[in-house]
């Protein structure tokens, strides 16, 4: 076990709620109860680092056929569905509506969607995701938008506006584009001081402009806000910003949102009586904290040579350091 991180009282209090939300592993549970999560992403140009899941029972990746061949090599634990199409790969027998419908047919089997990692900005890939988001909202399915999934919101904020089962995860550049899309002005800041995201008010304004959508503004400290309530995750992280680290966050969020559903469904004797809105904030904080701890541990070991895959190797120990297993889960 690695040396655990230093935690403020505020962080300990929120992580205690994360622990309450996380279900134990009981003999009475069956396959799929502890999370059926799907990532929509992976194109000819990009693939998603499919190893970032925290521990969902069933992990699906819905992607473009060429990306599927690569993603399948990551792990035998991933169920890969080559259902997406880029515009120039659409065959004569396929239509955009048909492509979207094949993905939408999967939604009733899922607890959570993650949309965007490795997606790209191809028009057909983007329009398919827009159609999936519209149907996911009708079904009340929680989803996370990251990377090129955020591009959909920048083009049309109404696609998520008012949907309070949605988490957006912009980095500093993506947050600037998002703020501009919803008409929020970001105050000037000194990038050299690394304090560009210490202003919680801006994140709160963006979340309010989106009708209460939860925003995780990633940075030196992660600001998590739905416009009414705000949490700050200030756990120490690593100092290397290699591409793909956000996949650990999206994978962790996907699993924690599935645990949120298990809590709300009361599939075990839950502690407390947290509401759906509070649980969304708690899950977001948990995902942020675990990712930052993964980054800290990976940087401590790898330093300047750190790559995104180094974070995923630390998911288990980071969970133990911050949350820990319940007694009834242990043998």
């Amino acid at each position: 076990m690695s040396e655990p991180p230093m935690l403020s009282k505020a962080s300990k209090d929120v992580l205690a709620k994360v622990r309450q939300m996380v279900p134990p592993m009981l003999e009475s549970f069956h396959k799929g109860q502890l999370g059926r999560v799907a990532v929509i992403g992976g194109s000819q140009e990009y693939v998603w680092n499919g190893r970032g899941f925290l521990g969902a029972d069933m992990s699906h990746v819905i992607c473009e056929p060429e990306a599927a061949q690569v993603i399948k090599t990551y792990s035998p634990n991933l169920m890969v569905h080559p259902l997406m199409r880029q515009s120039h790969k659409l065959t004569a027998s396929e239509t955009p509506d048909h492509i979207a419908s094949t993905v939408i047919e999967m939604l009733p089997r899922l607890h959570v969607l993650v949309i965007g990692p490795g997606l790209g900005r191809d028009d057909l890939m983007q329009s398919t995701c827009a159609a999936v988001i519209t149907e996911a909202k009708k079904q009340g399915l929680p989803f996370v938008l990251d990377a090129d999934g955020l591009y959909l919101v920048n083009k049309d904020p109404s696609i998520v506006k008012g949907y309070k089962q949605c988490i957006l995860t912009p980095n500093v550049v993506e947050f600037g584009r998002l703020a501009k899309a919803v008409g929020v002005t970001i105050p000037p800041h000194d990038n050299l001081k690394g304090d560009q995201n210490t202003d919680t008010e801006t994140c709160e304004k963006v979340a309010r402009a989106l009708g209460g959508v939860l925003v995780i503004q990633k940075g030196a400290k992660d600001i998590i806000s739905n416009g009414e309530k705000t949490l700050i995750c200030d756990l120490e992280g690593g100092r290397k910003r290699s591409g793909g680290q956000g996949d650990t966050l999206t994978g962790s969020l996907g699993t924690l949102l599935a645990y949120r559903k298990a809590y709300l469904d009361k599939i075990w004797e839950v502690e407390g009586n947290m509401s759906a809105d509070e649980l969304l904030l708690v899950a977001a904080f948990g995902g942020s904290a675990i990712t930052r701890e993964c980054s800290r541990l990976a940087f401590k070991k790898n330093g300047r040579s750190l790559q995104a895959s180094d974070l995923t190797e630390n998911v288990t120990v980071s969970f133990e350091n911050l949350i820990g297993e319940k007694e009834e889960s242990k043998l």
Side-chain angles (χ1 to χ4, degrees), residues 39-48 62-64 67 71 84-88 114-130 145-155 174 177 247:
V39 173
I40 302 180
S43 60
Q44 184 177 9
E45 292 83 7
Y46 309 103
V47 293
W48 175 69
I62 304 170
C63 60
E64 195 268 346
I71 294 171
M84 300 291 285
R85 294 291 184 276
Q86 293 180 286
S87 299
H88 66 285
V114 175
I115 300 174
L119 181 68
R121 297 186 181 180
D122 174 80
D123 287 344
L124 181 55
M125 297 280 279
Q126 289 274 317
S127 64
T128 300
C129 285
L145 295 184
D146 184 44
D148 286 322
L150 295 170
Y151 185 66
L152 283 163
V153 184
N154 294 340
K155 290 193 299 182
E174 292 164 341
R177 294 171 183 155
D247 291 350

Side-chain angles (χ1 to χ4, degrees), residues 7-322:
L7 297 173
S8 66
K9 182 181 183 305
S11 293
K12 288 180 181 178
D13 289 345
V14 182
L15 288 170
K17 292 184 177 181
V18 178
R19 181 180 170 85
Q20 289 181 16
M21 182 190 73
V22 172
M25 293 178 286
L26 304 179
E27 289 186 4
S28 58
F29 289 164
H30 60 74
K31 181 176 69 177
Q33 280 188 289
L34 298 189
R36 301 193 295 271
V37 183
V39 173
I40 302 180
S43 60
Q44 184 177 9
E45 292 83 7
Y46 309 103
V47 293
W48 175 69
N49 173 14
R51 298 185 297 164
F53 285 117
L54 177 62
D57 276 0
M58 303 175 74
S59 305
H60 301 264
V61 180
I62 304 170
C63 60
E64 195 268 346
E66 288 190 25
Q69 300 304 313
V70 178
I71 294 171
K72 285 180 180 180
T73 67
Y74 287 163
S75 169
N77 302 316
L78 294 174
M79 289 170 279
V80 183
H81 310 267
L83 303 178
M84 300 291 285
R85 294 291 184 276
Q86 293 180 286
S87 299
H88 66 285
K89 293 293 184 69
L90 196 67
T91 67
S93 62
E94 296 173 327
T95 67
D97 287 345
H98 170 72
I99 298 301
S101 68
T102 60
V103 179
I104 289 170
E105 286 174 2
M106 287 191 63
L107 299 187
R109 299 158 51 187
L110 303 174
H111 293 148
V112 183
L113 271 178
V114 175
I115 300 174
L119 181 68
R121 297 186 181 180
D122 174 80
D123 287 344
L124 181 55
M125 297 280 279
Q126 289 274 317
S127 64
T128 300
C129 285
V132 172
I133 288 171
T134 298
E135 183 59 31
K137 290 191 297 182
K138 292 178 182 178
Q139 296 186 21
L141 190 67
F143 55 83
V144 180
L145 295 184
D146 184 44
D148 286 322
L150 295 170
Y151 185 66
L152 283 163
V153 184
N154 294 340
K155 290 193 299 182
D156 180 15
S158 69
I159 195 168
V160 298
K161 188 171 183 179
Y163 189 64
K164 297 185 179 181
Q165 299 245 57
C166 171
I167 298 179
L168 309 182
T169 62
N171 60 28
V172 62
V173 174
E174 292 164 341
F175 184 79
R177 294 171 183 155
L178 183 61
K180 183 178 180 180
V182 297
V184 172
T185 300
I186 298 180
H189 57 264
D190 183 355
N191 280 317
L192 295 178
K193 293 180 180 179
D195 61 356
Q196 64 267 28
N197 73 327
T198 57
D199 171 28
T200 63
E201 184 179 353
T202 305
C203 185
E204 291 161 357
K205 286 181 177 178
V206 170
R208 283 195 294 270
L210 288 168
V213 167
L214 189 66
V215 178
I216 302 178
Q217 183 187 356
K218 298 183 292 191
K221 298 178 181 179
D222 292 348
I223 299 174
I224 303 163
S225 182
N226 60 13
E228 295 181 1
K229 295 184 179 180
T230 301
L231 301 174
I232 297 178
C233 187
D234 58 0
L235 276 72
E236 182 183 11
R239 298 183 181 180
K240 178 74 183 298
R241 300 291 182 264
S242 57
Q245 293 185 50
D247 291 350
T248 300
L249 175 61
T250 54
S252 297
L253 288 173
T255 302
L256 288 170
L257 287 176
Y259 292 167
R260 168 181 176 262
K261 174 176 170 52
Y263 181 98
L264 290 170
D265 289 346
K266 292 182 168 56
I267 68 171
W268 81 101
E269 292 187 17
V270 302
E271 301 176 60
N273 189 28
M274 290 183 281
S275 68
D277 288 347
E278 182 179 10
L279 286 166
L280 198 72
L281 277 163
V282 167
F285 187 93
S288 170
I290 288 169
T291 303
R292 296 176 75 89
E293 176 67 352
C294 287
S295 175
R296 181 185 76 88
L297 295 173
F299 184 75
K300 188 175 180 180
K301 177 181 178 181
N302 301 95
R304 190 176 294 273
S305 66
L306 180 148
Q307 297 298 313
S309 58
D310 297 321
L311 268 69
T312 61
E313 294 174 1
N314 287 283
V315 168
T316 299
V317 67
S318 296
F319 178 88
E320 290 286 351
N321 283 350
L322 298 175

